[in-house]
């Protein structure tokens, strides 16, 4: 039996689709790899478990929020088993979207004996959500994202003077499921009502809810740079589904009545649970607007105590009762200039919300695990070799799986080629026999 090697460093597990670029996720992931003073190795669980890692035991294991956004969680059976076996490792989990799949989330925390959770929940709710249901001892409040150096440079490169921007007010948001409560509906509601009321204001609007209106990559940042103002709401939801009953009830209601309205679902299911746990926060959108000096028009809210009304943004009441005053303030160039400069100064230039500052706080927690900042070269080389073992096969498999989601000429032939040639080859490398279907064709 190969002896276990204890690695004086950190293993970071995260999930990122090969077929879909998610810059905010990778900015967060890369912050650990680039900025932590402790040696860190990252594994994208989409590629599968590197076989050589089974003989390694890391001083700390960090599980990223990207693996827990939907259920089944992306921390698959092999990874679960590996982390479970690492009994001496200090285990840290980062969560977002904690309002859903709570029983399953609690089960993972208890099964893996997680030591510390970085959560979007504010301290007043740590007992209600986690301490009563899990064995986790330590908690830290965190944000959905921070200010990346690349964002600041991009804003400098793509930014325009206010008078050269072609759009007065812009916005993009997707419609969210009813089970997220009224807070989830606000993201689309602000766009619909603002556009209706502002139709005769003389403002140039590009305000569109719906997933099909989304912009990605540089297209998104060019859009932000071309706006004088931006609508916004707090990230998060107003219904925290602690026992999974809300999701199941909403799914059953929609299954029996596809035409049901949010108001009907709210009255029947959601109303008693609205704001049962406070789960709202500032989002990367607000940092992006601040970096590009875009004036923010936001629904009133806490915004984690970071954004202050008429210091960093123009507050819009959720019933739109102050809409005329909001438009008057927004049309005042000096008001916009003051708010955008304040936001840039406090959110961007101060460095308080940079990834560098975030990792500094994370490193303080990590130091409790007993990790040293130095690691010997022999161990470093062994870890690198273990992570590379079988990598080509794992990447090929992950790439071939992306073809399922693409439509192009010859797609069906490529899938058949994978099933008949590549997949049996992969199984053979693993020393396994590929099962066959009843028609004797490879599955």
């Amino acid at each position: 039996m190969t002896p276990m090697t204890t690695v004086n460093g950190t293993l970071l597990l995260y999930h990122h689709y090969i077929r879909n670029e998610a810059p905010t996720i990778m900015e967060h992931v890369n912050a650990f790899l680039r900025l932590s003073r402790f040696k860190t190795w990252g594994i994208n669980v989409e590629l599968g478990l590197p076989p050589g890692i089974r003989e390694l035991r890391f001083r700390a294991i960090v599980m990223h929020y990207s693996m827990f956004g939907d259920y089944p969680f992306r921390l698959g059976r092999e990874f679960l088993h590996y982390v479970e076996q690492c009994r001496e490792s200090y285990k840290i989990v980062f969560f977002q979207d904690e309002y859903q799949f709570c029983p399953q989330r609690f089960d993972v925390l208890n099964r893996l004996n997680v030591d510390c959770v970085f959560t979007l929940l504010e301290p007043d709710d740590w007992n209600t959500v986690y301490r009563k249901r899990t064995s986790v001892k330590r908690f830290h409040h965190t944000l959905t994202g921070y200010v990346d150096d690349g964002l600041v440079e991009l804003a400098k490169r793509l930014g325009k003077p206010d008078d050269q921007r072609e759009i007065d007010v812009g916005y993009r948001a997707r419609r969210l499921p009813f089970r997220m409560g009224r807070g989830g509906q606000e993201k689309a509601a602000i766009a619909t009502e603002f556009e209706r009321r502002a139709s005769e204001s003389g403002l140039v609007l590009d305000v569109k809810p719906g997933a099909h209106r989304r912009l990605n990559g540089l297209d998104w940042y060019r859009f932000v740079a071309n706006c004088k103002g931006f609508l916004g709401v707090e990230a998060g939801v107003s219904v925290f589904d602690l026992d999974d009953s809300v999701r199941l009830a909403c799914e059953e209601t929609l299954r029996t009545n596809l035409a049901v309205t949010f108001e009907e679902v709210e009255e029947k299911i959601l109303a008693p649970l609205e704001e049962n746990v406070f789960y709202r926060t500032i989002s990367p959108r607000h940092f992006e607007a601040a970096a590009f000096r875009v004036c923010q028009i936001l629904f009133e809210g806490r915004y984690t105590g970071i954004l202050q009304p008429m210091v960093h943004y123009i507050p819009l009441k959720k019933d739109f009762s102050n809409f005329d005053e909001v438009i008057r303030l927004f049309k005042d160039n000096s008001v916009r200039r003051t708010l955008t400069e304040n936001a840039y100064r406090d959110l961007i230039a101060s460095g308080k919300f940079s990834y560098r500052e975030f990792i500094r706080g994370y490193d303080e927690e990590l130091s409790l695990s007993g990790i040293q900042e130095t690691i010997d070269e022999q161990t470093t080389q062994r870890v690198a070799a273990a992570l590379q073992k079988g990598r080509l096969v794992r990447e090929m498999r992950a790439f071939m799986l992306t073809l399922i989601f693409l439509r192009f000429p010859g797609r069906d032939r490529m899938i058949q080629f994978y099933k008949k040639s590549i997949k049996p080859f992969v199984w053979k490398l693993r020393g396994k026999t590929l099962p066959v279907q009843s028609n004797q064709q490879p599955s």
Side-chain angles (χ1 to χ4, degrees), residues 68-85:
F68 301 102
D70 207 347
Y71 191 80
F73 298 139
R74 298 297 176 179
L75 188 67
R77 184 182 304 171
E78 284 187 317
F79 282 99
L80 270 172
H81 181 71
Y82 172 75
V83 176
E84 198 170 15
Q85 295 301 307

Side-chain angles (χ1 to χ4, degrees), residues 356-424:
R356 194 172 303 278
E357 187 66 15
F358 157 64
I359 292 296
R360 186 193 62 77
Y362 154 80
D363 277 350
E364 289 179 3
E365 175 61 35
L366 199 60
S367 66
L368 296 175
S369 67
I371 298 179
Q372 303 300 314
E373 293 185 39
T374 58
I375 181 171
D376 65 272
E377 185 62 26
Q378 185 178 2
T379 302
T380 300
Q381 291 177 0
R382 179 168 183 183
V383 175
L387 296 186
Q388 287 299 319
K389 188 176 181 180
R391 184 178 180 87
L392 180 61
V393 172
R394 291 183 292 116
E395 288 183 343
M396 183 184 301
R397 180 181 60 195
F399 173 74
M400 294 301 291
L401 287 174
T402 67
L403 302 181
I404 298 172
F405 303 94
L406 299 175
R407 293 286 176 184
F408 56 86
R411 171 182 177 274
D412 293 339
R413 288 184 180 180
M414 289 190 70
I415 291 176
Q416 287 303 313
F417 174 74
Y418 168 74
K419 289 181 177 180
K420 292 180 179 180
S421 302
I422 303 297
K423 192 172 183 179

Side-chain angles (χ1 to χ4, degrees), residues 214-276:
R214 293 183 70 180
L215 297 168
N216 297 308
L218 281 178
D219 288 340
W220 167 253
Y221 292 114
R222 290 190 183 100
F223 173 65
V224 175
N226 202 29
C227 293
K228 296 177 181 177
F230 227 66
L231 300 180
V233 303
E234 287 180 292
V237 302
S238 56
V239 171
F240 205 98
D241 192 4
L242 279 166
D243 59 6
D244 218 19
S245 61
V246 173
R247 178 180 66 86
L248 296 173
C250 287
E251 287 178 356
E252 179 61 27
T253 299
L254 289 167
R255 199 164 23 245
T256 57
N257 180 11
L258 290 176
V260 68
T261 65
F262 171 76
E263 287 70 26
E264 291 170 331
V265 171
E266 183 179 39
E267 181 179 1
K268 180 181 178 181
I269 302 171
L270 305 176
L273 296 172
E274 280 286 342
E275 307 294 353
N276 60 331

Side-chain angles (χ1 to χ4, degrees), residues 160 162-168 204-205 225-228:
K160 300 179 180 181
D162 189 80
D163 59 3
Q164 293 181 20
R165 304 184 189 195
E166 300 171 322
I167 301 167
D168 288 310
V204 177
L205 306 178
N226 202 29
C227 293
K228 296 177 181 177

